Amino acid sequence: MAEYDIAVIGGDKRTAYMVPFFRESGYKVICFGIQETEDGEREIKHSMEAKRSMEADGYAASLREAVDAADVIVGGIPLEKKGVLDIRELSRLIRKRHTIFGGVIPETFRQECGERNIVCCDFMQVESIAVFNAVATAEGAILEALRHKDTNIHRSKSLVIGYGRCGKILSDKLKGLSALVTVCSGSQTELALADAYGMQTLALEQLGEKAGEYEYVYNTVPAPLIDKAVLQRLNRDVLVIDIASGNGGVDYKAAEELSVHARHCLGLPGKYACRISARCLTDYVLGHI
């Protein structure tokens, strides 16, 4: 029988806040890799409840110790975290008894878990969580815009590239702040939907031609759409907020050369909405173990 009920491994402030939530529900928790913020402090110190939880429960010295100690493994979004949770190492350590939760889990790892009869749940494959995450991401993107440009969102010419889950919510929230929102997409269906919701629209092939008209550019597409050719046409005072996953959608080397202010903003829910996001994730885990 495992010594602990749940191992919380890696992640950001969301996973740190999950620890006390699990304990409040009567679960015994061991932690590993709940560590450093931009300020060089441990994430766990962002919550006094979480800090007390760490002292009362356990803190593993290695990934192996954490995995061996509990049957339920809860990781962050994304699941893999450099220097803390390596997918290949996790693969070697897990057994059939384990249930794994995390976000943006590589498809190859999920397939392997299926072949080994190990339950593996990707938070971002759960529509309700993905929508919740998109809301927090959209609000975080707007906050980043306000923090890094000394103009109003109100009446600003704002371009949103992509009209998927995040693009739709972000566009709607910007419109709610009276921004002049244009949606750019390569999908005629997405453009028609954006038009139906009262947005201006721009076909993707016109991006380079029209890019210089906007004060804010928000990218939601994880593809290299804002390349050097597009960057050269941007307004010199533009702020680019890139919330696309992975490497994003901006040529950051070219942006630096051209002195374009572009920010790749990953993990915004963990930065600005960590506690409520943690509550959402905790509730999902507790409903599936």
Side-chain angles (χ1 to χ4, degrees):
M1 184 174 178
E3 182 181 358
Y4 292 87
D5 301 308
I6 300 170
V8 178
I9 301 171
D12 51 28
K13 285 187 280 185
R14 285 171 288 188
T15 49
Y17 275 110
M18 290 174 78
V19 175
F21 290 151
F22 284 135
R23 292 199 70 239
E24 288 167 7
S25 297
Y27 291 89
K28 193 173 182 183
V29 182
I30 187 168
C31 304
F32 175 69
I34 311 286
Q35 56 187 20
E36 300 203 352
T37 68
E38 300 90 342
D39 299 323
E41 297 180 347
R42 290 187 181 277
E43 296 283 9
I44 206 68
K45 291 182 180 177
H46 282 268
S47 163
M48 289 307 296
E49 302 100 314
K51 187 174 186 294
R52 287 194 294 269
S53 170
M54 292 284 286
E55 294 166 350
D57 281 316
Y59 193 86
S62 67
L63 179 62
R64 175 182 291 276
E65 182 182 342
V67 172
D68 288 347
D71 291 343
V72 176
I73 299 168
V74 177
I77 304 173
L79 176 64
E80 191 163 30
K81 183 175 182 181
K82 186 177 180 181
V84 175
L85 197 159
D86 179 82
I87 287 291
R88 291 170 296 181
E89 183 182 3
L90 181 62
S91 176
R92 291 192 295 269
L93 296 174
I94 55 177
R95 300 291 181 264
K96 188 176 179 179
R97 66 183 176 87
H98 285 113
T99 297
I100 301 167
F101 295 89
V104 195
I105 301 175
E107 178 63 25
T108 52
F109 180 77
R110 289 197 291 124
Q111 288 178 351
E112 179 191 341
C113 287
E115 292 166 1
R116 296 170 61 186
N117 293 316
I118 297 170
V119 177
C120 181
C121 303
D122 190 328
F123 291 134
M124 301 314 294
Q125 298 293 319
V126 181
E127 185 64 18
S128 59
I129 293 177
V131 170
F132 188 97
N133 190 74
V135 170
T137 298
E139 291 183 358
I142 293 170
L143 182 52
E144 287 285 321
L146 288 168
R147 289 183 62 200
H148 296 286
K149 187 171 171 62
D150 56 357
T151 56
N152 291 332
I153 298 293
H154 178 81
R155 305 300 293 174
S156 66
K157 298 193 71 175
S158 299
L159 179 69
V160 177
I161 302 175
Y163 202 62
R165 189 185 291 113
C166 279
K168 289 173 185 174
I169 294 172
L170 175 58
S171 298
D172 183 67
K173 289 189 176 296
L174 287 168
K175 187 179 178 185
L177 291 170
S178 301
L180 306 176
V181 183
T182 298
V183 171
C184 177
S185 174
S187 164
Q188 289 301 313
T189 299
E190 289 186 354
L191 292 177
L193 187 59
D195 179 70
Y197 280 96
M199 313 295 174
Q200 297 296 309
T201 60
L202 179 69
L204 185 60
E205 57 265 28
Q206 295 181 293
L207 176 60
E209 177 186 348
K210 302 289 187 178
E213 298 180 7
Y214 303 97
E215 300 168 63
Y216 294 92
V217 174
Y218 301 85
N219 178 59
T220 71
V221 182
L225 300 181
I226 307 179
D227 56 17
K228 188 170 186 177
V230 173
L231 289 165
Q232 287 174 327
R233 291 175 174 265
L234 291 176
N235 185 305
R236 292 303 93 187
D237 293 327
V238 73
L239 174 61
V240 180
I241 300 292
D242 185 6
I243 60 174
S245 60
N247 294 323
V250 177
D251 183 339
Y252 286 97
K253 182 178 179 181
E256 185 176 0
E257 292 173 356
L258 295 166
S259 298
V260 174
H261 191 181
R263 301 182 59 80
H264 194 193
C265 302
L266 295 175
L268 292 174
K271 184 176 181 180
Y272 295 121
C274 50
R275 189 179 183 89
I276 189 66
S277 295
R279 179 80 271 176
C280 174
L281 298 174
T282 300
D283 289 345
Y284 180 80
V285 172
L286 294 181
H288 291 81
I289 60 175

